[in-house]
């Protein structure tokens, strides 16, 4: 074991530094069928009013309000998609169906339940008011109205609105391409029986899910060995295509922890340790696009940096590399705090962070002297409040501390801790 040369960075400063280095990817135009969960890249302005024409809200008769209380001759019909194209003269009525165009001359619709029919005449009640029972043009949306800002996440209503405005494709942020690698000689594929000393690679599947939830397109690199050369080849190959590399394991200070020196040889390591529990060995680097496979040693890299740093054409921009700690909870918590906001920024999201809510601590939270702690809690409603309970042992290897957790609660470093009953801001993962 050797001491780490990396300074311990405050988690807030580390998160800000990651975002500073994170580019926003280009936008692409995508058909509505593929827009769910994507991030709108440009504001949408209504090019026409909605509805585009005065449209009946009910089944009934289109008449002039001034004809209220009279018996009117029914001279035609306006059904949805089949308008009546003449004028409604005084003393006449047009049968109209929901969604039918209000014909010229008519200024209100009388519901079918409110009339009396005899032959081709209809008697309408007195006291009719112009404007009744139809949607005026532009009632839902005026032409020129800003309807969706850039940065919103597209869900059912937003996609429906775009379709209603006649937009078959939408400009959305490109999904980040992420290469995901688990490292460690002790790892075996899920489903295989681990021999003595081996463990199943579970981080791959947890991180794959977390990456997908964050909008990434993931390429699985599988398990990388604790061996510099093969690890380097895997990473260099993957970075030829990917925007982001995410690894788990191999970032602590044991002799088999190769990720930090590897990233040092390929780019710039900005963060090598954070004052965070769990997740102290979290590592973040940027790697110039188009770095050559021959850039093997730190010395060589320093020599050549800048001359081979960028591909001659096409590829621009820097790649991001996140070296997450191996312990399952550490990898997921550092993902939440550092990686997820970055992936959202890349897609152009307006909202990078999880929402927060004030919650009342239902337990005495002990602090760690020198590190901010993200404790995992469940929430329950008590009257108008949310009360947080610990998920139990907060060991960084115990995935059960995250299973079913509704929120993360930040406990600042020190010897104080936070007393039960205190109101704190919780980072919401899922509401109960
Ligand atoms: P490391 O940071 O490589 O020293 O890993 C720390 C610990 O995390 C290891 O001893 C394993 O117990 C665990 N670990 C590392 N990688 C994985 C993985 N892919 N899946 C599950 N646990 C892992
Ligand atoms: Mg390891």
């Amino acid at each position: 074991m050797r001491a780490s040369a990396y300074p311990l960075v405050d988690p807030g400063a580390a998160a800000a530094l990651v975002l500073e280095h994170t580019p926003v990817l280009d936008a692409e135009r995508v058909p509505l069928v593929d827009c769910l969960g994507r991030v709108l890249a440009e504001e949408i302005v209504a090019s026409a009013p909605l509805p585009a024409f005065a449209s009946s809200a009910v089944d009934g008769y289109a008449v002039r309000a001034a004809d209220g209380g009279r018996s009117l001759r029914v001279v035609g019909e306006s059904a949805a998609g089949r308008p009546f194209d003449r004028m409604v003269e005084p003393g006449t009525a047009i049968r109209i169906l929901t969604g039918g165009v209000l014909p010229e001359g008519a200024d209100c619709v009388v519901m079918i339940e409110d009339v009396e029919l005899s032959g081709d005449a209809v008697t309408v009640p007195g006291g009719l008011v112009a404007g009744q029972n139809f949607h005026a043009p532009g009632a839902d949306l005026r032409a020129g109205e800003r309807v969706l800002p850039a940065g919103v996440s597209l869900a059912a209503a937003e996609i429906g609105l775009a379709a209603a405005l006649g937009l078959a494709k939408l400009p959305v942020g490109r999904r980040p391409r992420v290469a995901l690698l688990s490292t460690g000689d002790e790892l075996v594929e899920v489903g295989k029986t681990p021999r003595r000393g081996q463990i199943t690679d579970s981080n791959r599947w947890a991180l794959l899910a977390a990456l997908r939830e964050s909008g990434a397109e993931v390429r699985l690199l599988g398990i990388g060995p604790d061996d510099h050369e093969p690890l380097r080849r895997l990473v260099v190959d993957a970075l030829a295509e990917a925007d982001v590399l995410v690894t788990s394991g191999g970032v602590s200070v044991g002799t088999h922890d190769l990720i930090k020196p590897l990233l040092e040889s390929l780019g710039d390591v900005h963060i090598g340790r954070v004052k965070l529990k769990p997740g102290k060995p979290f590592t973040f680097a940027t790697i110039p696009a188009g770095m050559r496979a021959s850039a093997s040693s730190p010395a060589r890299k320093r020599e050549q940096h800048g001359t081979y740093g960028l591909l001659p054409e096409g590829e621009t921009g820097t790649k991001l590399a996140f070296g997450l700690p191996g312990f399952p909870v550490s990898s997921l918590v550092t993902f939440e705090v550092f990686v997820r906001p970055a992936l959202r920024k890349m897609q152009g999201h307006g909202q990078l962070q999880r929402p927060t809510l004030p919650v009342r601590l239902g337990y005495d939270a002990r602090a760690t002297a020198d590190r901010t702690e993200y404790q995992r809690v469940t929430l329950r409603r008590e009257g108008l409040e949310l009360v947080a309970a610990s998920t139990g042992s907060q060991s960084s290897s115990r995935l059960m501390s995250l299973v079913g957790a509704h929120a993360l609660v930040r406990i600042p470093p020190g010897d104080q801790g936070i007393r039960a009953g205190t109101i704190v801001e919780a980072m919401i993962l899922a509401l109960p």
Side-chain angles (χ1 to χ4, degrees):
M1 290 280 192
R2 58 190 157 83
S4 173
Y6 288 96
L8 272 161
V9 184
D10 173 77
L17 190 63
V18 168
L19 289 177
E20 242 170 69
H21 285 282
T22 302
V24 177
L25 301 177
D26 290 339
E28 57 191 6
R29 293 180 59 77
V30 163
L32 292 182
V33 69
D34 294 321
C35 277
L36 181 64
R38 303 296 296 266
V39 185
L40 191 65
E42 291 164 23
E43 162 183 274
I44 290 184
V45 174
S47 56
L50 273 186
F53 52 84
S55 116
S56 184
V58 296
D59 293 338
Y61 290 85
V63 302
R64 293 164 176 262
D67 280 345
R70 294 178 57 186
S71 171
L72 309 172
R73 198 155 50 84
V74 180
V75 296
E77 184 184 85
S78 177
R82 282 181 281 123
F84 176 76
D85 281 332
R86 280 170 290 135
M87 189 80 176
V88 178
E89 303 293 346
T92 68
I94 301 298
R95 187 167 43 248
I96 194 164
L97 296 148
T98 305
V101 180
L102 186 76
E104 288 285 318
D107 58 11
C108 74
V109 176
V110 184
M111 284 167 73
I112 193 136
E113 294 88 334
D114 296 340
V115 304
E116 256 173 53
L117 268 175
S118 61
D120 62 355
V122 64
T123 304
V124 295
L128 295 181
V129 179
Q132 263 177 348
N133 292 327
F134 68 90
H135 302 293
D140 295 345
L141 217 56
R142 284 169 288 105
E145 202 173 317
R146 299 159 119 176
V147 290
L148 294 174
V152 295
S153 191
L154 296 170
E158 290 77 16
I159 292 170
L161 181 64
L165 289 170
L167 302 169
K169 290 184 171 185
L170 292 176
V172 296
R174 181 164 71 71
R175 290 184 184 281
R177 288 189 285 263
V178 180
L180 177 62
L181 177 68
S182 303
T183 72
D185 287 338
E186 76 278 32
L187 300 178
V188 292
E189 296 286 339
V190 66
K192 279 197 176 172
T193 308
R195 291 198 310 271
R196 186 172 149 78
Q198 293 187 318
I199 60 166
T200 301
D201 174 13
S202 66
N203 287 351
R204 184 195 321 180
W205 306 105
L207 290 169
L208 172 63
L211 285 163
R212 290 213 172 131
E213 190 276 334
S214 305
E217 262 173 27
V218 185
R219 182 173 157 211
L220 293 174
L221 303 182
I223 298 168
D226 288 325
D227 189 352
H228 186 81
E229 260 317 294
L231 208 53
R232 191 185 64 79
R233 277 197 298 276
L234 264 172
V235 163
V236 167
D237 279 357
L239 280 173
E241 307 233 312
D243 305 301
V244 179
L245 170 73
V246 173
T247 63
S248 77
V251 283
S252 47
V253 289
T255 43
H256 294 295
D257 296 316
L258 300 167
I259 292 293
K260 282 187 175 84
L262 173 62
L263 295 178
E264 276 168 23
S265 77
L266 300 175
D268 298 307
V269 175
H270 303 283
I271 300 165
R273 288 193 307 164
V274 283
K275 287 184 200 165
L276 177 63
K277 186 180 176 183
K280 184 174 170 187
F282 168 78
T283 299
F284 170 67
T286 51
I287 295 172
M291 131 283 299
R292 282 207 200 114
S294 59
S296 51
S297 71
R300 178 107 194 240
K301 183 215 118 200
R302 275 192 291 278
E303 227 168 74
Q304 299 194 338
H305 196 84
T307 53
Y308 73 80
L310 295 174
L311 276 183
E313 58 205 323
E315 278 287 76
T316 53
T318 304
K319 319 260 179 177
L320 307 183
F322 295 94
L324 307 185
F327 282 115
V329 180
S330 311
S331 68
L332 284 178
V333 169
T334 50
F335 182 92
E336 271 298 326
V337 177
F338 303 115
V339 187
R340 187 176 182 274
L343 294 173
R344 289 170 74 84
K345 179 176 176 188
M346 291 179 112
Q347 294 163 83
H349 258 294
Q351 177 64 43
L352 303 185
Q353 308 297 337
R354 295 271 187 194
T356 63
L357 283 176
V359 305
R360 193 176 291 283
L361 267 194
Y363 66 103
D364 281 330
R366 281 231 293 271
T368 301
D370 56 347
R371 287 189 279 159
T372 299
E373 209 178 322
Y374 276 83
Q375 296 189 354
R376 286 76 73 197
V377 298
T378 57
L379 300 174
R380 65 173 194 281
R381 282 277 296 273
E382 257 182 35
L384 294 176
E385 284 183 348
L386 288 167
V387 177
S390 171
T391 53
S393 160
Q394 299 287 297
S395 161
S396 58
S397 61
R398 186 175 167 263
L399 265 179
M400 286 305 284
S401 73
L402 258 177
V403 170
H406 295 122
L408 300 178
V409 169
R410 233 179 99 251
I411 311 295
D415 47 19
Q416 299 290 305
I418 302 182
R419 288 236 153 265
T422 311
I423 300 280
V424 296
E425 282 293 309
M427 191 172 142
I428 304 298
L429 305 174
L431 281 173

